[in-house]
CSV table of all heavy atoms in Angstrom, one decimal:
chain,number,residue,atom,x,y,z
A,1,ASN,N,0.9,-1.2,0.1
A,1,ASN,CA,0.0,0.0,0.0
A,1,ASN,C,0.8,1.2,0.1
A,1,ASN,O,1.6,1.4,0.8
A,1,ASN,CB,-0.9,0.1,1.2
A,1,ASN,CG,-1.8,-1.1,1.3
A,1,ASN,OD1,-2.4,-1.5,0.2
A,1,ASN,ND2,-2.1,-1.7,2.4
A,2,ARG,N,0.8,2.0,-1.0
A,2,ARG,CA,1.5,3.2,-1.1
A,2,ARG,C,0.7,4.4,-0.8
A,2,ARG,O,-0.5,4.5,-1.1
A,2,ARG,CB,2.3,3.4,-2.5
A,2,ARG,CG,3.2,2.4,-2.9
A,2,ARG,CD,3.7,2.6,-4.3
A,2,ARG,NE,4.8,1.5,-4.6
A,2,ARG,CZ,4.6,0.4,-5.1
A,2,ARG,NH1,3.2,0.0,-5.3
A,2,ARG,NH2,5.6,-0.5,-5.4
A,3,GLN,N,1.4,5.3,-0.2
A,3,GLN,CA,0.6,6.7,0.2
A,3,GLN,C,1.5,7.8,0.1
A,3,GLN,O,2.7,7.9,0.5
A,3,GLN,CB,0.3,6.6,1.8
A,3,GLN,CG,-0.5,7.7,2.3
A,3,GLN,CD,-0.9,7.6,3.8
A,3,GLN,OE1,0.0,7.1,4.5
A,3,GLN,NE2,-1.8,8.2,4.2
A,4,ILE,N,1.0,8.8,-0.7
A,4,ILE,CA,1.4,10.1,-0.8
A,4,ILE,C,0.5,11.1,-0.3
A,4,ILE,O,-0.7,11.2,-0.6
A,4,ILE,CB,1.7,10.4,-2.3
A,4,ILE,CG1,2.7,9.3,-2.9
A,4,ILE,CG2,2.3,11.8,-2.6
A,4,ILE,CD1,2.8,9.5,-4.4
A,5,ALA,N,1.1,12.1,0.5
A,5,ALA,CA,0.1,13.0,1.3
A,5,ALA,C,0.9,14.4,1.3
A,5,ALA,O,2.1,14.5,1.4
A,5,ALA,CB,-0.1,12.6,2.7
A,6,GLY,N,0.1,15.5,1.2
A,6,GLY,CA,0.6,16.7,1.5
A,6,GLY,C,-0.4,17.6,2.2
A,6,GLY,O,-1.5,17.3,2.3
A,7,GLN,N,0.2,18.6,3.0
A,7,GLN,CA,-0.7,19.3,3.9
A,7,GLN,C,-0.1,20.8,4.1
A,7,GLN,O,1.1,20.9,4.0
A,7,GLN,CB,-0.8,18.6,5.2
A,7,GLN,CG,0.5,18.4,6.0
A,7,GLN,CD,0.4,17.8,7.3
A,7,GLN,OE1,-0.7,17.2,7.6
A,7,GLN,NE2,1.5,17.7,8.2
A,8,LEU,N,-1.0,21.6,4.3
A,8,LEU,CA,-0.6,22.9,4.8
A,8,LEU,C,-1.4,23.3,6.1
A,8,LEU,O,-2.6,23.1,6.2
A,8,LEU,CB,-1.2,23.9,3.7
A,8,LEU,CG,-0.8,25.4,3.9
A,8,LEU,CD1,0.7,25.6,3.7
A,8,LEU,CD2,-1.5,26.3,2.8
A,9,THR,N,-0.5,23.6,7.1
A,9,THR,CA,-1.1,23.6,8.5
A,9,THR,C,-0.9,25.1,9.0
A,9,THR,O,0.2,25.7,8.9
A,9,THR,CB,-0.4,22.8,9.4
A,9,THR,OG1,-0.4,21.4,8.9
A,9,THR,CG2,-0.8,22.8,10.8
A,10,ALA,N,-1.9,25.6,9.5
A,10,ALA,CA,-2.0,27.0,10.2
A,10,ALA,C,-2.3,26.8,11.6
A,10,ALA,O,-3.3,26.1,11.9
A,10,ALA,CB,-2.9,27.9,9.4
A,11,ARG,N,-1.6,27.5,12.4
A,11,ARG,CA,-1.8,27.4,13.9
A,11,ARG,C,-2.0,28.8,14.5
A,11,ARG,O,-1.2,29.7,14.2
A,11,ARG,CB,-0.6,26.7,14.6
A,11,ARG,CG,-0.8,26.7,16.2
A,11,ARG,CD,0.4,26.0,16.7
A,11,ARG,NE,0.5,26.1,18.2
A,11,ARG,CZ,0.8,27.2,18.9
A,11,ARG,NH1,1.4,28.2,18.2
A,11,ARG,NH2,0.8,27.2,20.2
A,12,VAL,N,-3.2,29.0,15.1
A,12,VAL,CA,-3.5,30.3,15.6
A,12,VAL,C,-3.7,30.2,17.0
A,12,VAL,O,-4.6,29.5,17.5
A,12,VAL,CB,-4.7,30.9,15.0
A,12,VAL,CG1,-5.0,32.3,15.5
A,12,VAL,CG2,-4.7,31.0,13.4
A,13,PRO,N,-2.8,30.8,17.9
A,13,PRO,CA,-3.1,30.8,19.3
A,13,PRO,C,-4.2,31.6,19.8
A,13,PRO,O,-4.4,32.7,19.4
A,13,PRO,CB,-1.8,31.3,19.9
A,13,PRO,CG,-1.2,32.3,18.9
A,13,PRO,CD,-1.7,31.6,17.6
A,14,LEU,N,-5.1,31.0,20.5
A,14,LEU,CA,-6.3,31.8,21.0
A,14,LEU,C,-6.2,32.2,22.6
A,14,LEU,O,-6.6,33.3,23.0
A,14,LEU,CB,-7.5,30.9,20.7
A,14,LEU,CG,-7.9,30.6,19.3
A,14,LEU,CD1,-9.1,29.8,19.1
A,14,LEU,CD2,-8.0,31.9,18.4
A,15,PHE,N,-5.9,31.2,23.3
A,15,PHE,CA,-5.8,31.4,24.7
A,15,PHE,C,-4.7,30.5,25.4
A,15,PHE,O,-4.7,29.3,25.2
A,15,PHE,CB,-7.1,31.1,25.4
A,15,PHE,CG,-7.2,31.4,26.9
A,15,PHE,CD1,-7.2,32.7,27.4
A,15,PHE,CD2,-7.3,30.3,27.8
A,15,PHE,CE1,-7.1,32.8,28.9
A,15,PHE,CE2,-7.2,30.5,29.2
A,15,PHE,CZ,-7.2,31.7,29.7
A,16,THR,N,-3.8,31.1,26.1
A,16,THR,CA,-2.7,30.4,26.8
A,16,THR,C,-2.7,30.5,28.2
A,16,THR,O,-1.7,30.2,28.9
A,16,THR,CB,-1.3,30.9,26.2
A,16,THR,OG1,-1.1,32.3,26.4
A,16,THR,CG2,-1.2,30.6,24.7
A,17,GLY,N,-3.8,31.0,28.8
A,17,GLY,CA,-3.9,31.1,30.2
A,17,GLY,C,-2.9,32.2,30.8
A,17,GLY,O,-2.5,32.1,31.9
A,18,GLY,N,-2.5,33.2,30.0
A,18,GLY,CA,-1.6,34.3,30.5
A,18,GLY,C,-0.2,33.9,30.3
A,18,GLY,O,0.7,34.8,30.7
A,19,LEU,N,0.2,32.9,29.7
A,19,LEU,CA,1.5,32.4,29.6
A,19,LEU,C,2.3,33.4,28.6
A,19,LEU,O,3.4,33.9,29.0
A,19,LEU,CB,1.7,31.0,29.0
A,19,LEU,CG,3.0,30.5,28.7
A,19,LEU,CD1,3.9,30.5,29.9
A,19,LEU,CD2,2.9,29.2,27.9
A,20,ASN,N,1.7,33.8,27.5
A,20,ASN,CA,2.3,34.6,26.6
A,20,ASN,C,2.6,36.0,27.1
A,20,ASN,O,3.7,36.6,27.0
A,20,ASN,CB,1.5,34.7,25.3
A,20,ASN,CG,1.5,33.4,24.5
A,20,ASN,OD1,2.3,32.6,24.7
A,20,ASN,ND2,0.6,33.4,23.6
A,21,ALA,N,1.6,36.6,27.8
A,21,ALA,CA,1.7,37.8,28.4
A,21,ALA,C,2.9,37.8,29.5
A,21,ALA,O,3.5,38.8,29.7
A,21,ALA,CB,0.5,38.3,29.0
A,22,SER,N,2.9,36.8,30.3
A,22,SER,CA,3.9,36.7,31.3
A,22,SER,C,5.3,36.6,30.6
A,22,SER,O,6.3,37.2,31.2
A,22,SER,CB,3.7,35.4,32.1
A,22,SER,OG,4.8,35.3,33.1
A,23,ASN,N,5.5,35.8,29.5
A,23,ASN,CA,6.8,35.8,28.8
A,23,ASN,C,7.2,37.1,28.3
A,23,ASN,O,8.4,37.5,28.4
A,23,ASN,CB,6.6,34.7,27.8
A,23,ASN,CG,6.6,33.3,28.2
A,23,ASN,OD1,7.1,33.0,29.3
A,23,ASN,ND2,6.1,32.4,27.4
A,24,VAL,N,6.2,38.0,27.8
A,24,VAL,CA,6.5,39.2,27.3
A,24,VAL,C,7.2,40.2,28.4
A,24,VAL,O,8.1,40.9,28.3
A,24,VAL,CB,5.4,39.8,26.6
A,24,VAL,CG1,5.7,41.4,26.2
A,24,VAL,CG2,5.1,39.1,25.2
A,25,ARG,N,6.4,40.1,29.6
A,25,ARG,CA,6.9,41.0,30.7
A,25,ARG,C,8.2,40.6,31.2
A,25,ARG,O,9.0,41.4,31.5
A,25,ARG,CB,5.8,41.0,31.8
A,25,ARG,CG,4.5,41.5,31.4
A,25,ARG,CD,3.6,41.8,32.8
A,25,ARG,NE,3.2,40.4,33.3
A,25,ARG,CZ,2.1,39.7,33.0
A,25,ARG,NH1,1.3,40.1,32.1
A,25,ARG,NH2,1.9,38.5,33.6
A,26,ALA,N,8.5,39.3,31.3
A,26,ALA,CA,9.6,38.7,31.8
A,26,ALA,C,10.8,39.2,30.8
A,26,ALA,O,11.9,39.7,31.3
A,26,ALA,CB,9.7,37.3,31.9
A,27,ALA,N,10.6,39.1,29.5
A,27,ALA,CA,11.5,39.5,28.5
A,27,ALA,C,11.8,41.0,28.6
A,27,ALA,O,12.9,41.5,28.4
A,27,ALA,CB,11.0,39.1,27.1
A,28,ARG,N,10.8,41.8,28.9
A,28,ARG,CA,11.0,43.3,28.9
A,28,ARG,C,11.8,43.7,30.1
A,28,ARG,O,12.7,44.5,30.1
A,28,ARG,CB,9.6,43.9,29.2
A,28,ARG,CG,8.8,44.1,27.8
A,28,ARG,CD,9.5,45.2,27.0
A,28,ARG,NE,8.7,45.4,25.7
A,28,ARG,CZ,9.2,46.1,24.7
A,28,ARG,NH1,10.6,46.4,24.7
A,28,ARG,NH2,8.5,46.5,23.7
A,29,GLU,N,11.7,42.9,31.3
A,29,GLU,CA,12.4,43.2,32.5
A,29,GLU,C,13.9,42.7,32.3
A,29,GLU,O,14.9,43.4,32.7
A,29,GLU,CB,11.9,42.4,33.7
A,29,GLU,CG,10.5,43.0,34.1
A,29,GLU,CD,10.6,44.5,34.4
A,29,GLU,OE1,11.6,44.9,34.9
A,29,GLU,OE2,9.6,45.2,34.1
A,30,ARG,N,14.1,41.6,31.5
A,30,ARG,CA,15.5,41.3,31.2
A,30,ARG,C,16.2,42.2,30.2
A,30,ARG,O,17.4,42.4,30.3
A,30,ARG,CB,15.5,39.8,30.6
A,30,ARG,CG,15.3,38.6,31.6
A,30,ARG,CD,15.5,37.3,31.0
A,30,ARG,NE,14.5,36.9,30.1
A,30,ARG,CZ,13.5,36.3,30.5
A,30,ARG,NH1,13.3,35.9,31.7
A,30,ARG,NH2,12.5,35.9,29.6
A,31,GLU,N,15.4,42.9,29.4
A,31,GLU,CA,15.8,43.9,28.4
A,31,GLU,C,16.2,45.1,29.3
A,31,GLU,O,17.3,45.8,29.1
A,31,GLU,CB,14.8,44.3,27.5
A,31,GLU,CG,15.3,45.4,26.5
A,31,GLU,CD,14.2,45.9,25.5
A,31,GLU,OE1,13.0,45.8,26.1
A,31,GLU,OE2,14.4,46.4,24.5
A,32,ASN,N,15.4,45.5,30.3
A,32,ASN,CA,15.8,46.5,31.2
A,32,ASN,C,17.0,46.2,32.0
A,32,ASN,O,17.8,47.1,32.2
A,32,ASN,CB,14.6,46.8,32.2
A,32,ASN,CG,13.5,47.4,31.6
A,32,ASN,OD1,13.4,48.1,30.6
A,32,ASN,ND2,12.2,47.2,32.2
A,33,ALA,N,17.2,45.0,32.5
A,33,ALA,CA,18.5,44.6,33.1
A,33,ALA,C,19.6,44.8,32.2
A,33,ALA,O,20.7,45.3,32.7
A,33,ALA,CB,18.3,43.2,33.7
A,34,ALA,N,19.5,44.3,31.0
A,34,ALA,CA,20.6,44.4,30.1
A,34,ALA,C,21.0,45.9,29.7
A,34,ALA,O,22.2,46.3,29.7
A,34,ALA,CB,20.3,43.7,28.7
A,35,ARG,N,20.0,46.7,29.7
A,35,ARG,CA,20.2,48.2,29.5
A,35,ARG,C,20.9,48.8,30.6
A,35,ARG,O,21.8,49.6,30.5
A,35,ARG,CB,18.8,48.9,29.2
A,35,ARG,CG,19.0,50.5,28.7
A,35,ARG,CD,17.8,51.1,28.4
A,35,ARG,NE,17.1,50.4,27.3
A,35,ARG,CZ,16.0,49.6,27.5
A,35,ARG,NH1,15.5,49.3,28.7
A,35,ARG,NH2,15.6,48.9,26.5
A,36,ILE,N,20.5,48.5,31.8
A,36,ILE,CA,21.2,48.9,33.0
A,36,ILE,C,22.6,48.5,33.1
A,36,ILE,O,23.5,49.2,33.6
A,36,ILE,CB,20.4,48.6,34.3
A,36,ILE,CG1,19.0,49.2,34.2
A,36,ILE,CG2,21.1,49.0,35.6
A,36,ILE,CD1,18.0,48.8,35.3
A,37,ALA,N,22.9,47.3,32.8
A,37,ALA,CA,24.1,46.7,32.7
A,37,ALA,C,25.1,47.5,31.7
A,37,ALA,O,26.3,47.6,32.0
A,37,ALA,CB,24.1,45.2,32.3
A,38,VAL,N,24.6,48.0,30.7
A,38,VAL,CA,25.4,48.8,29.8
A,38,VAL,C,25.9,50.1,30.5
A,38,VAL,O,27.0,50.5,30.5
A,38,VAL,CB,24.6,49.3,28.6
A,38,VAL,CG1,25.4,50.3,27.8
A,38,VAL,CG2,24.2,48.1,27.6
A,39,ASP,N,25.1,50.8,31.3
A,39,ASP,CA,25.4,51.9,32.1
A,39,ASP,C,26.4,51.5,33.2
A,39,ASP,O,27.3,52.3,33.4
A,39,ASP,CB,24.1,52.6,32.7
A,39,ASP,CG,23.2,53.2,31.7
A,39,ASP,OD1,23.7,53.6,30.6
A,39,ASP,OD2,21.9,53.2,31.9
A,40,GLY,N,26.1,50.4,33.7
A,40,GLY,CA,27.1,49.9,34.9
A,40,GLY,C,28.5,49.6,34.2
A,40,GLY,O,29.5,50.0,34.8
A,41,ALA,N,28.5,49.1,33.0
A,41,ALA,CA,29.8,48.7,32.4
A,41,ALA,C,30.5,50.1,32.0
A,41,ALA,O,31.7,50.2,32.2
A,41,ALA,CB,29.5,48.0,31.1
A,42,LYS,N,29.7,51.1,31.5
A,42,LYS,CA,30.3,52.4,31.2
A,42,LYS,C,31.0,53.0,32.5
A,42,LYS,O,32.1,53.5,32.4
A,42,LYS,CB,29.3,53.3,30.6
A,42,LYS,CG,28.9,52.9,29.3
A,42,LYS,CD,27.9,53.9,28.7
A,42,LYS,CE,27.4,53.6,27.3
A,42,LYS,NZ,26.3,54.5,26.7
């Protein structure tokens, strides 16, 4: 039995229980820390 298949998949996030928002806030704070580190290095 031979099988040939093709597919096009789209994934749309609808609700993650606040995970994505938390990740963005954490990334922003790490960015702030990195910016402050530049001033400290100077």
Side-chain angles (χ1 to χ4, degrees):
N1 296 323
R2 293 179 178 85
Q3 181 183 28
I4 299 175
Q7 62 182 10
L8 186 67
T9 303
R11 174 181 174 275
V12 181
L14 298 179
F15 180 70
T16 61
L19 176 63
N20 292 344
S22 176
N23 288 338
V24 171
R25 290 193 299 269
R28 279 295 187 192
E29 292 304 324
R30 284 190 287 269
E31 182 190 25
N32 289 336
R35 185 176 303 107
I36 295 171
V38 174
D39 293 335
K42 288 180 179 179

